[in-house]
Amino acid sequence: MEIKFMNISSKNKIKKLNLKILNNKITGILGDTNNIIANLLTDNLNYQGIIMLDNLNILGYDLNKIIYIKKIDKNTFLTKLVSDEFYLKKKNVDVKDTIYLDKIISSLRMVGLDDTYLKREIRMLSKSEKRLLQIALNLVSNPELIIFEEPFLYLDNKYSYNIEKIILDLKEKYDKTIIILSQDPNLLYELTDNLIILSDNQVLVSGKTKVIFKDKEFLTSKNINLPDILLFKELAKTKGIELGDTIDEIVKGVVENVRKNEEDKPED
Amino acid sequence: MLSINNLNYKDLYKDFNLEIPKNNFISILGTNRSGKTILTKIIAGIIPTTDICILDNISLNKNTVLTYLTKLGIVSNDFNQEFLFKKVKDELAYPLLNLAYPEHKINKRIKEISKYFEIEDLLDKKIDDLSISKRNLLLVIISIIHEPRLVVLDDAFLEMDRVDKELILKKLLELKKKGLTILNITSDLETTIKSDKIYILDNFKLEDYKEDSRFKESFIINLSNKLKEQEIISQSYSNIDELAGALWK
């Protein structure tokens, strides 16, 4: 899904926002007001201007095709049992009950939970389980655009890796468009194709992620942290050492440099 | 400082013991569903227990809970801690008002702690205008404003950026020297590097730390571990400047 924001303004907040989010890419949005894009796409936020989804005005679009997986708050779940929460979502999915149950179970399995969760009370789940459930609930409806807010928050390595794989599969195997809202430059650098940085509801910069993060001076002047890998490479550069782009290349470069320095040291 | 003695909770914790010595920075690393948040809730008295937790010689039960809680500071990512006031200054004053501090003492303490944590410029700001990282930083500061003996941080660093995370860790380690005991319950290996001791909580049981791929390693820890394997450095680092310092003195 290609998304175009054309001259969007809203009371006190946004002034003439123009932006394009490309189809079948992972686009990261960084900045303290990064949820404004998700709110424009999913809320009934009053605005002037036009939002186009695949050349169709958003006003005529089936908004069930857009899902926004926010951070968990007290409004995330509306019912008591996990199964009730899934059946509440059924109104957005046009299938028979038996097929829907299969869909629920495969959605739970995809995130790493099993069907015993259907009988569990949501309030008794841990935050990580709630997060996985929330993702499973949203994926059951086969959306076109998925907006993840801090996708790995609350999740350990195993589950983060699983969710990362789901995100990449959604893009590569199922041609979905993904938006990731995050304040973590490391995550955005690793996972996204394109990046938009917002400040005070205005676009500071947008383009290819790897290109944007190369402009150290600009980012530093706007108080935006660089990913650790680039920060370390910059630091090495100040010592006259050029390092590669992957961790293995960096280790190799550092090892060679340190060993060479030791050899060059005059012996006592 | 804190002892948990023979904790039995549902079918989860069985004869569980924990000893946190005074003036130590202890980390408990746990994956998802290892029992971290239940443990935090038990220490915080949210899950009631009787004479299982002893903090600074106070045994926690329904008669001692108020005294016990004055000795404890707690930040948890699971309790949905919400701010009650619009301004940072008012939020900082609230725990002290609850403890009936007189106004001049409250003002003095806010001045002192905001200078210490370098947030003086935030005092008159609205909470809504703070970044997520700064809001999390503020939660940690609020938890220790009443000068507790022990602070429990349950995934308190999750939404902090690198700069704020390093600031808080540095300042807490300084406070440790002045008598604060720190219990860091986390899934983030990076925050545990400077601990006096690291435990792993696995399926409600405590074990000594050993390398474990289930925990997230930041780029700097990952890099320093690889350089350690090559005998280029002798220890792991979580801070980029410290790693660079060790490599290129």
Side-chain angles (χ1 to χ4, degrees):
Chain A
M1 177 191 288
E2 186 181 85
I3 307 160
K4 272 189 215 158
F5 294 87
M6 294 151 81
N7 274 329
I8 304 294
S9 299
S10 79
K11 217 178 172 184
N12 305 329
K13 279 192 169 176
I14 314 164
K15 279 176 200 143
K16 299 219 164 175
L17 178 83
N18 285 290
L19 196 61
K20 198 164 154 183
I21 292 174
L22 297 179
N23 179 37
N24 191 216
K25 296 277 181 213
I26 302 180
T27 300
I29 308 186
L30 175 71
D32 278 334
T33 52
N34 66 0
N35 58 4
I36 197 80
I37 299 292
N39 289 338
L40 280 168
L41 290 169
T42 55
D43 277 354
N44 294 320
L45 205 68
N46 285 329
Y47 62 87
Q48 291 176 326
I50 300 173
I51 301 175
M52 301 289 280
L53 307 175
D54 285 337
N55 296 322
L56 194 74
N57 192 313
I58 196 170
L59 300 174
Y61 200 86
D62 174 9
L63 289 183
N64 290 322
K65 295 282 174 198
I66 301 175
I67 57 164
Y68 179 15
I69 307 179
K70 288 185 199 183
K71 279 192 271 187
I72 290 172
D73 61 29
K74 55 183 185 247
N75 301 317
T76 303
F77 303 105
L78 303 168
T79 64
K80 199 174 165 189
L81 289 178
V82 170
S83 56
D84 293 345
E85 202 68 31
F86 273 103
Y87 282 96
L88 198 68
K89 290 258 175 201
K90 190 172 179 301
K91 63 176 175 17
N92 304 333
V93 188
D94 188 19
V95 289
K96 283 182 187 165
D97 276 1
T98 47
I99 298 174
Y100 190 59
L101 184 63
D102 288 343
K103 271 179 168 284
I104 293 172
I105 293 169
S106 73
S107 192
L108 280 170
R109 283 188 188 148
M110 194 151 85
V111 298
L113 303 175
D114 59 41
D115 51 2
T116 60
Y117 274 86
L118 287 171
K119 290 177 187 161
R120 302 264 302 263
E121 271 189 52
I122 294 171
R123 69 183 178 96
M124 301 305 283
L125 301 180
S126 72
K127 208 148 191 174
S128 59
E129 288 171 315
K130 282 181 188 160
R131 181 65 169 168
L132 294 168
L133 169 64
Q134 183 199 22
I135 296 171
L137 276 164
N138 278 293
L139 293 181
V140 85
S141 61
N142 191 22
E144 286 302 318
L145 169 69
I146 302 117
I147 308 167
F148 278 98
E149 184 177 21
E150 299 293 355
F152 308 135
L153 193 65
Y154 321 122
L155 303 178
D156 65 21
N157 247 4
K158 184 179 133 195
Y159 289 111
S160 295
Y161 179 76
N162 197 14
I163 298 303
E164 183 178 335
K165 197 174 164 295
I166 291 173
I167 292 174
L168 292 172
D169 280 354
L170 285 169
K171 177 194 152 194
E172 281 153 21
K173 288 190 191 160
Y174 303 101
D175 295 334
K176 307 292 182 191
T177 303
I178 319 272
I179 296 177
I180 292 184
L181 312 179
S182 177
Q183 306 299 346
D184 180 353
N186 296 308
L187 181 157
L188 293 167
Y189 185 73
E190 289 295 322
L191 195 59
T192 64
D193 304 305
N194 297 321
L195 184 68
I196 298 164
I197 303 182
L198 295 179
S199 176
D200 285 336
N201 300 307
Q202 306 300 320
V203 178
L204 215 52
V205 61
S206 75
K208 286 200 163 46
T209 305
K210 298 277 187 291
V211 175
I212 290 177
F213 275 125
K214 267 192 181 159
D215 196 348
K216 186 197 164 198
E217 274 170 26
F218 171 74
L219 296 174
T220 313
S221 73
K222 301 291 178 192
N223 282 329
I224 292 160
N225 292 328
L226 286 181
D228 289 348
I229 188 165
L230 295 187
L231 214 54
F232 186 78
K233 279 180 65 171
E234 284 291 327
L235 222 156
K237 216 180 200 173
T238 62
K239 313 278 176 192
I241 311 157
E242 285 288 342
L243 295 171
D245 290 326
T246 67
I247 186 152
D248 290 335
E249 287 168 356
I250 290 174
V251 171
K252 193 169 167 248
V254 172
V255 171
E256 278 171 7
N257 171 267
V258 172
R259 294 217 168 116
K260 187 173 173 293
N261 285 348
E262 277 166 9
E263 280 167 19
D264 291 349
K265 250 188 215 169
E267 284 185 28
D268 292 333
Chain B
M1 170 57 57
L2 173 75
S3 316
I4 299 181
N5 303 309
N6 286 324
L7 167 67
N8 287 288
Y9 177 72
K10 295 190 171 169
D11 284 337
L12 305 171
Y13 280 105
K14 282 177 193 154
D15 299 325
F16 178 90
N17 293 290
L18 174 69
E19 189 70 44
I20 306 291
K22 198 175 161 186
N23 289 13
N24 267 238
F25 175 16
I26 304 290
S27 287
I28 297 181
L29 259 171
T31 58
N32 294 147
R33 300 194 268 176
S34 59
K36 297 194 302 281
T37 297
I38 291 178
L39 183 63
T40 309
K41 284 181 178 170
I42 285 166
I43 298 171
I46 292 171
I47 294 175
T49 55
T50 304
D51 298 326
I52 299 288
C53 302
I54 302 170
L55 172 60
D56 202 22
N57 298 323
I58 307 285
S59 182
L60 173 63
N61 55 50
K62 63 181 180 190
N63 300 319
T64 60
V65 63
L66 290 178
T67 324
Y68 175 96
L69 288 178
T70 59
K71 294 176 180 287
L72 182 69
I74 205 146
V75 187
S76 172
N77 210 285
D78 211 78
F79 301 169
N80 286 333
Q81 281 173 313
E82 280 174 17
F83 294 104
L84 300 168
F85 300 92
K86 276 188 180 164
K87 276 193 175 179
V88 170
K89 201 159 57 180
D90 299 332
E91 204 62 55
L92 285 166
Y94 185 63
L96 303 178
L97 275 169
N98 272 342
L99 291 168
Y101 275 49
E103 201 180 328
H104 70 277
K105 274 198 174 174
I106 294 178
N107 292 335
K108 190 176 162 227
R109 180 71 183 135
I110 290 176
K111 209 172 161 187
E112 184 184 80
I113 204 162
S114 57
K115 191 175 172 197
Y116 186 72
F117 282 98
E118 302 166 17
I119 58 151
E120 287 154 301
D121 58 325
L122 301 184
L123 285 182
D124 287 313
K125 286 206 170 174
K126 286 183 190 165
I127 304 270
D128 285 350
D129 292 338
L130 299 184
S131 69
I132 293 163
S133 180
K134 287 279 180 282
R135 280 184 222 182
N136 282 278
L137 177 97
L138 184 62
L139 284 175
V140 177
I141 300 171
I142 290 167
S143 76
I144 55 169
I145 196 162
H146 63 294
E147 299 177 83
R149 305 300 308 274
L150 172 74
V151 63
V152 180
L153 307 165
D154 174 21
D155 266 339
F157 300 98
L158 265 191
E159 293 190 74
M160 268 187 217
D161 62 32
R162 180 170 29 81
V163 177
D164 289 335
K165 206 188 268 191
E166 283 177 6
L167 172 91
I168 281 284
L169 280 168
K170 184 176 144 223
K171 296 290 182 185
L172 287 176
L173 283 166
E174 281 172 23
L175 288 175
K176 191 189 91 167
K177 287 184 198 150
K178 294 178 186 167
L180 181 69
T181 305
I182 304 150
L183 175 57
N184 176 33
I185 303 177
T186 181
S187 54
D188 178 3
L189 192 62
E190 191 183 348
T191 63
T192 67
I193 291 284
K194 292 192 174 157
S195 309
D196 296 300
K197 189 169 175 64
I198 308 173
Y199 292 103
I200 289 182
L201 186 64
D202 194 3
N203 203 15
F204 306 92
K205 289 184 189 75
L206 218 49
E207 297 164 5
D208 283 341
Y209 176 73
K210 55 184 180 305
E211 269 190 36
D212 192 325
S213 63
R214 291 175 301 173
F215 301 110
K216 280 181 191 166
E217 278 185 359
S218 67
F219 168 76
I220 297 300
I221 295 183
N222 195 359
L223 176 63
S224 67
N225 283 343
K226 284 179 189 277
L227 293 170
K228 207 169 98 185
E229 277 168 28
Q230 304 261 355
E231 297 178 351
I232 297 291
I233 48 174
S234 58
Q235 65 172 88
S236 292
Y237 294 91
S238 60
N239 177 297
I240 198 163
D241 294 320
E242 288 173 10
L243 173 61
L247 289 169
W248 305 297
K249 289 179 197 92

